[in-house]
Amino acid sequence: MKAYHVIVNPNSGNGKGLPVQKKVQEYLESRGIAAHFYFTEKAGDAREMAKNLVPETVKVLGMIGGDGTYNEVLNGMTPGAYPLAVIPAGTGNDFCRMLAIDSWKKATETMIEGTCRMVDYGEVNQHRFLNVYSTGLDAAIANQANQWKGRYPGAFLYTAALIRQVRRMKRYSYEVIWDHGTYKGEGILVAIGNGAYYGGGMKISPRASLFDGKLDVCLLKPLSPWKLLLLFPTVFMGKHLSFQEIIYVQTKQVRLKVQEEVCAMNMDGEIYEAVQLDVSLVTGKLALMIPKD
C-alpha cells in the first residue's frame, strides 16, 4: 500500500529542519494521515534514502530542508517514479519561492492536496539540478554564505556575503555556447536557471518556468564594483536585464567552459569544482506537487 514518506534534514536552515518536521507530523496526525519520516545525519544521506525507497510504496515523497536537500533527493531517485513535495526549512528556500510556497503548512497541504505536475529539471555533467547552476561571483558568494550560516538570517546572509566578495571580485574567461549563439570573453558570473530564484530571493532568471522546456542563461560581463552594487538590488525584482552588461538567453542546451585550472560551481546552493560543463534540460519528466490554483 502506498504511503507518504518524508526525508528530513534536521540541520537545514541552521536547525530549522527538526522543528518543521514536528509541525508537519502533528498536522498530518491531526488529519489522520500516517507518514514515514527519515532523518539525515550527514551529506549524501538524502540521496541514499531516496535511492533505497521502493517506488511502489510511495504515494508522495516530501522533503524537509533547503535546495541542497532537494538536490540530493533528485540525484538519488528515479525521476517520475513518484511525486515529490518540497517543504521549506532551508536558508534561502528559493525553489519553494518559485512555487509560491512560503510556509510549512502550505507545503504540507500541497503535499496531500496539491496538483501533481510534470516539470523540467537540468542535468550537468551527469548530475541533476532542480533550481539554478552557476559559476563565478555568485558561487563565491554561496560558498561564503555556507561558511557564515548561523551568523546572519535568511536573505541578509547572502547580502553580507556579497559585500564581502565584491572586494575580491574576479574576472573569468568564459566560453558559453547555447542553441543559437556563443559568447567568448570575460565575465563575472554565469547562472543557468531552471528555476527563477537563488541566493535568498534574487530573481536571477525572471523569465524562467518549470514547464517551458528551456534553460535561462544569465551572464554578467565585467563591470565596476560600484555599478555591481547598483545592479544588485534590481536582481531581487528581476529588473537587471536592462543593464548593458547582462546577456540573457533561453535555450535547451548550454556548454560552459571556464579558462581556469578549476572554478567553483554552485548547484542548488551546494559548491562543487569543475572546468567544463555540458548542461541540458530534461523536459517534463519530474513529478512535483504544486499548490492548487
Side-chain angles (χ1 to χ4, degrees):
M1 183 176 178
K2 291 189 175 184
Y4 291 96
H5 296 253
V6 184
I7 292 175
V8 184
N9 180 351
N11 297 316
S12 64
N14 194 32
K16 293 179 185 176
L18 198 56
V20 168
Q21 182 272 332
K22 290 179 179 178
K23 292 176 181 178
V24 171
Q25 185 172 3
E26 289 172 359
Y27 180 79
L28 292 175
E29 289 176 350
S30 73
R31 297 190 54 172
I33 298 172
H36 304 283
F37 291 89
Y38 310 88
F39 298 86
T40 67
E41 296 181 356
K42 61 184 183 302
D45 281 356
R47 180 170 56 250
E48 291 303 311
M49 290 172 177
K51 183 178 179 180
N52 292 331
L53 283 175
V54 179
E56 290 76 17
T57 68
V58 182
K59 185 173 185 178
V60 177
L61 175 59
M63 304 173 291
I64 297 178
D67 291 355
T69 302
Y70 310 155
N71 182 277
E72 280 199 20
V73 171
L74 178 60
N75 279 279
M77 68 177 295
T78 300
Y82 42 76
L84 296 178
V86 294
I87 302 174
T91 303
N93 297 316
D94 289 302
F95 189 72
C96 287
R97 185 176 284 105
M98 177 82 173
L99 300 175
I101 293 175
D102 57 3
S103 69
W104 68 266
K105 187 174 182 181
K106 183 172 183 179
T108 308
E109 290 172 345
T110 298
M111 181 174 73
I112 60 180
E113 297 176 341
T115 301
C116 182
R117 292 283 304 273
M118 302 305 292
V119 303
D120 306 336
Y121 65 89
E123 286 189 340
V124 53
N125 294 7
Q126 299 182 334
H127 292 278
R128 303 172 189 138
F129 69 95
L130 192 57
N131 194 34
V132 176
Y133 200 101
S134 61
T135 181
L137 176 64
D138 58 343
I141 292 169
N143 192 31
Q144 185 73 69
N146 285 342
Q147 295 175 23
W148 281 355
K149 280 183 179 178
R151 185 183 298 186
Y152 301 104
F156 186 70
L157 171 65
Y158 293 96
T159 303
L162 168 77
I163 294 170
R164 173 70 174 270
Q165 289 299 320
V166 161
R167 293 181 296 173
R168 307 174 179 179
M169 187 167 59
K170 180 179 178 181
R171 296 185 179 195
Y172 297 88
S173 296
Y174 290 129
E175 182 177 7
V176 187
I177 304 171
W178 57 91
D179 289 349
H180 304 293
T182 301
Y183 174 82
K184 189 171 184 178
E186 290 189 327
I188 303 300
L189 67 85
V190 179
I192 302 169
N194 181 45
Y197 298 91
Y198 75 166
M202 289 185 280
K203 200 172 185 179
I204 190 68
S205 305
R207 298 173 185 166
S209 167
L210 300 176
F211 314 103
D212 64 357
K214 297 175 183 177
L215 291 166
D216 290 49
V217 181
C218 183
L219 185 148
L220 177 60
K221 294 189 285 187
L223 74 176
S224 70
W226 297 112
K227 191 164 187 181
L228 177 62
L229 292 175
L230 180 65
L231 181 151
F232 175 64
T234 70
V235 181
F236 285 92
M237 300 173 287
K239 302 295 185 182
H240 55 292
L241 303 190
S242 61
F243 282 77
Q244 64 181 10
E245 291 85 1
I246 293 286
I247 295 175
Y248 191 94
V249 298
Q250 292 183 304
T251 182
K252 289 189 176 182
Q253 297 185 78
V254 188
R255 170 165 285 186
L256 169 61
K257 189 172 183 180
V258 186
Q259 305 295 329
E260 318 288 338
E261 288 187 5
V262 70
C263 185
M265 306 287 176
N266 168 25
M267 181 167 66
D268 290 345
E270 303 300 318
I271 303 301
Y272 302 85
E273 291 185 338
V275 174
Q276 179 170 306
L277 306 171
D278 289 300
V279 188
S280 60
L281 191 72
V282 180
T283 305
K285 297 294 185 182
L286 181 67
L288 181 69
M289 301 301 295
I290 65 172
K292 288 185 176 179
D293 295 334

